Amino acid sequence: HADNMHTFSIELARTLLAIGAKVEVIGKLIAHAHGECPKNIIDIREALMHQHPSISTAEVSLPRYGLTLIPWSSWVLGQSPDWWRAYNSLKHDYKDAFSQASLGNSLHALGGLLLLVLLYCRIPGVDALMPATELLYPPGSFGAGAMTPDGRVIDLRDTPH
């Protein structure tokens, strides 16, 4: 429920910190695959928006809860997402930023990570997400790929319609 999105806890803080660290790693891996050497989220944003501009409008749905998230929407404005700023604040000032470790920020971060992992899976030699996700679902139209129930990422351009 929307009222729960501001709930924060120690577990959500751990979750947000773990997801944020993975976002940074996967974002850099994707940028490196395109010949970029990002140092921070701003550099990652520039590299990914150049190579994958649809990431800023990609929706991640949580059908079980009737939620739709657009975790990278602020990239269109040249800004970092609120959930990223919350992660960064928590990382550098845990005590004063603890209330930013919310359910909403954690879900948006997880959706953002899912989209990055899907982009990463398009890099030659990387083609599966195992185990498959059962909570978050990427949009079927996100770029040219989709995820099958067994976690494989397929290129829709190669699939007859």
Side-chain angles (χ1 to χ4, degrees):
H1 192 270
D3 291 344
N4 294 327
M5 291 302 165
H6 297 290
T7 301
F8 59 94
S9 71
I10 291 171
E11 288 305 317
L12 288 170
R14 291 180 184 141
T15 300
L16 185 57
L17 287 169
I19 294 168
K22 292 296 180 193
V23 162
E24 204 160 4
V25 169
I26 299 295
K28 287 179 179 180
L29 286 172
I30 296 166
H32 282 290
H34 295 295
E36 304 286 337
C37 294
K39 293 183 170 106
N40 55 41
I41 193 68
I42 295 167
D43 295 344
I44 292 169
R45 179 188 71 227
E46 290 174 4
L48 270 60
M49 285 296 288
H50 178 72
Q51 294 294 326
H52 307 283
S54 65
I55 194 169
S56 64
T57 57
E59 296 179 347
V60 176
S61 63
L62 288 88
R64 182 182 305 172
Y65 302 105
L67 295 173
T68 300
L69 312 171
I70 308 173
W72 298 107
S73 62
S74 62
W75 276 10
V76 168
L77 305 172
Q79 299 174 353
S80 295
D82 290 342
W83 61 264
W84 178 265
R85 288 195 301 270
Y87 154 73
N88 207 35
S89 295
L90 193 62
K91 181 172 72 168
H92 295 290
D93 190 9
Y94 191 88
K95 181 182 168 212
D96 289 335
F98 184 68
S99 65
Q100 294 182 49
S102 67
L103 177 61
N105 282 330
S106 296
L107 287 174
H108 277 85
L110 187 59
L113 178 59
L114 174 63
L115 294 174
L116 291 184
V117 168
L118 289 172
L119 288 177
Y120 178 68
C121 287
R122 293 184 191 160
I123 296 171
V126 181
D127 67 348
L129 192 83
M130 295 304 235
T133 177
E134 294 180 7
L135 176 64
L136 298 168
Y137 292 89
S141 63
F142 180 59
M147 187 170 47
T148 64
D150 67 352
R152 301 210 35 93
V153 177
I154 58 171
D155 189 334
L156 295 175
R157 293 174 292 202
D158 296 335
T159 305
H161 297 283

